Amino acid sequence: MLDRILSHDLPRSRWLALLLIVIVLGLALTPFVFPGTKALNVAAKIIVFIVLVASFDLLLGYTGIVSFAHTMFFGIGAYGVAIACTRLGPTWGALALGVGLALVVSLLLSLLIGAFSLRVKAIFFAMITLAVASAFLTLASQLSDFTGGEDGLNFKVPEALQPGTQYLEGPILGASIDGRFVTYYLLFGVAVLLVLTMLRIVNSPFGRVLQAIRENDFRAEAIGYRTVIYRTLSNVLSALFATLAGCLLALWLRYNGPDTSLSFEIMLDILLIVVIGGMGTIYGSVVGGVLFVLAQSYLQDLMKLGASAVEGVPVVSQLVSPDRWLLWLGILFVLSVYHFPSGVVGRLRAMGITSGGRKP
């Protein structure tokens, strides 16, 4: 049963399987185990980034296409929900319309980019997508009447998802059963379905062709596959999943602006997570997303504790100052790439093979 759910793509390492179980249970039980606004926000961000990074890995890790326009589709999804709920009100119909229109816009744009750009190779395609993403970011910032400009859009969600909606009078195991609670599990459920769908795609015959194109584009075309069509379809699917991730982000934040979903820093974060988790594996998006977001969210807090412990010590107190958390985040990234060149998932799978063959 589990083999079918995971599309016959088992972790193949006991340590990886254990890590994935811990991650899934941790995210599923966050409202009960880690009560508090920050923990819930971090868990929601992890969920969104897992979907977003997995969608990008579908393009980079499985097809071998480098694109810098991924945050554009992420932003389209977020803006679709934000604009629809702002203009039409906090109704389920407006929410559905926003998601639907965002998917249509992303479909058309990804087809357009694929049709005119995927015939060029490597860095040239990456530069084209970077130019398109930059133009879209500028457009979103300047159309203030429509997108809210630099200030973005604050909006309300349907009443069932609003924090003020209480479903039970008292908390259960420390968790308040309110609209925020329901929204979190809506994000979690949708994310699980999307990740399992992407697993099915990459392990289907279509996914095998994408991997063949990644390994050798010329040979894949020589045996009869129209690689441009497959590359375009990969670009479209990746864009649609990224759009849905943007919709989830907007639904959770009830706000969207250029820096929230279209920033180039998000694109850099995606690239880092793919490398940390491991390219060419959906599980890498899960592991890498969790590790990166946790480090990004709690490293500064840990450094505050360290700074208080070495207060007054020359040089050392300056090095562990919370203001230098980005420096240490960069060091951790360099170390992870050095010790895990194939990503955490690749390393764990290799350990599983060398210690006794293929393991579930």
Side-chain angles (χ1 to χ4, degrees):
M1 181 65 178
L2 181 62
D3 187 46
R4 294 182 60 184
I5 293 175
L6 297 178
S7 302
H8 309 291
D9 187 4
L10 296 176
R12 303 201 296 274
S13 164
R14 287 181 179 175
W15 287 109
L16 177 57
L18 180 61
L19 181 59
L20 291 172
I21 291 171
V22 170
I23 289 173
V24 173
L25 289 178
L27 291 175
L29 300 175
T30 292
F32 301 102
V33 180
F34 306 103
T37 303
K38 181 174 181 178
L40 201 60
N41 285 330
V42 170
K45 185 177 180 180
I46 289 173
I47 289 171
V48 171
F49 263 80
I50 286 173
V51 177
L52 178 61
V53 174
S55 67
F56 183 70
D57 198 39
L58 180 64
L59 194 63
L60 176 64
Y62 285 92
T63 319
I65 299 173
V66 179
S67 170
F68 291 118
H70 211 63
T71 50
M72 178 181 71
F73 300 112
F74 185 55
I76 288 173
Y79 270 114
V81 171
I83 292 171
C85 290
T86 301
R87 299 294 177 115
L88 302 178
T91 63
W92 289 105
L95 186 61
L97 180 63
V99 173
L101 289 178
L103 288 172
V104 170
V105 172
S106 292
L107 173 65
L108 295 176
L109 274 176
S110 58
L111 279 174
L112 191 64
I113 292 174
F116 290 100
S117 304
L118 281 173
R119 292 181 183 274
V120 298
K121 303 296 182 182
I123 192 65
F124 302 104
F125 175 74
M127 291 299 101
I128 290 173
T129 58
L130 178 60
V132 173
S134 299
F136 192 86
L137 174 59
T138 303
L139 190 65
S141 301
Q142 293 181 350
L143 295 177
S144 55
D145 292 338
F146 194 61
T147 63
E150 295 290 344
D151 295 330
L153 295 172
N154 287 293
F155 60 94
K156 293 182 178 180
V157 293
E159 186 177 357
L161 305 179
Q162 293 178 9
T165 303
Q166 294 288 335
Y167 290 94
L168 295 175
E169 293 184 0
I172 296 180
L173 299 177
S176 298
I177 313 301
D178 53 14
R180 201 68 166 161
F181 179 91
V182 173
T183 305
Y184 177 81
Y185 280 106
L186 176 62
L187 262 65
F188 179 79
V190 172
V192 169
L193 289 176
L194 292 178
V195 169
L196 291 177
T197 301
M198 282 185 272
L199 262 178
R200 185 69 194 100
I201 290 172
V202 299
N203 289 289
S204 67
F206 173 79
R208 301 304 182 194
V209 175
L210 295 184
Q211 294 171 60
I213 293 172
R214 177 196 64 196
E215 297 300 325
N216 195 311
D217 193 355
F218 178 77
R219 288 184 180 179
E221 192 166 8
I223 61 177
Y225 293 109
R226 299 189 63 181
T227 57
V228 172
I229 293 179
Y230 280 92
R231 285 156 62 92
T232 302
L233 288 176
S234 175
N235 190 52
V236 170
L237 288 173
S238 176
L240 294 180
F241 282 113
T243 302
L244 291 173
C247 294
L248 295 179
L249 178 71
L251 188 62
W252 178 257
L253 295 179
R254 290 166 292 151
Y255 164 81
N256 187 55
D259 292 336
T260 306
S261 58
L262 293 172
S263 171
F264 190 69
E265 292 180 3
I266 299 175
M267 190 69 243
L268 294 178
D269 292 345
I270 295 171
L271 289 169
L272 292 178
I273 294 171
V274 167
V275 173
I276 291 171
M279 287 191 293
T281 165
I282 299 298
Y283 297 127
S285 307
V286 179
V287 176
V290 171
L291 294 177
F292 183 84
V293 175
L294 286 178
Q296 192 181 53
S297 302
Y298 291 106
L299 182 59
Q300 194 171 16
D301 294 337
L302 290 175
M303 290 183 66
K304 286 180 181 178
L305 296 176
S308 62
V310 297
E311 187 177 0
V313 180
V315 182
V316 177
S317 60
Q318 294 297 319
L319 286 175
V320 298
S321 171
D323 295 335
R324 290 174 174 76
W325 72 276
L326 280 174
L327 168 66
W328 288 102
L329 184 63
I331 292 174
L332 288 174
F333 169 69
V334 172
L335 291 175
S336 67
V337 173
Y338 179 78
H339 291 287
F340 303 97
S342 58
V344 175
V345 170
R347 181 63 178 271
L348 291 178
R349 280 181 165 174
M351 289 170 58
I353 292 174
T354 56
S355 64
R358 294 167 65 93
K359 295 181 181 182

